[in-house]
Amino acid sequence: FGANRMWTAGQQGKLARYNGTTWQVENNPMSQDLYAVWVSPTGSAWFVGAAGTVQKWDAATQTLITPTTRAATMLHAVWGYS
């Protein structure tokens, strides 16, 4: 992604993306609070948050990942390797 491209995540599933010039609020049908984001070198963004929420965003496609277990009710960090 690079220094001029960033994501933020927040309360009630709010997402915003910075393209190097301006911030744009993204439409997110999910309403869980989001606490962390990781963006891969290819541009896939992963968000985690309340109630074990895991969400992936690829370009214009959003995917809500359903964990196989709800052991962690709050996810506060995400990290990846690609």
Side-chain angles (χ1 to χ4, degrees):
F1 240 35
N4 291 329
R5 294 189 175 27
M6 296 178 266
W7 281 90
T8 64
Q11 294 179 327
Q12 299 177 338
K14 299 281 191 280
L15 298 175
R17 181 171 36 177
Y18 184 70
N19 65 13
T21 306
T22 60
W23 285 96
Q24 177 171 337
V25 175
E26 297 293 342
N27 183 23
N28 188 4
M30 197 190 84
S31 63
Q32 294 292 342
D33 290 349
L34 298 170
Y35 303 127
V37 59
W38 176 76
V39 180
S40 75
T42 61
S44 295
W46 291 81
F47 304 91
V48 298
T53 299
V54 178
Q55 185 178 19
K56 180 183 178 189
W57 183 293
D58 274 322
T61 304
Q62 301 173 49
T63 305
L64 183 60
I65 313 275
T66 304
T68 57
T69 179
R70 290 280 182 176
T73 57
M74 299 269 195
L75 299 174
H76 291 277
V78 61
W79 182 85
Y81 176 74
S82 125

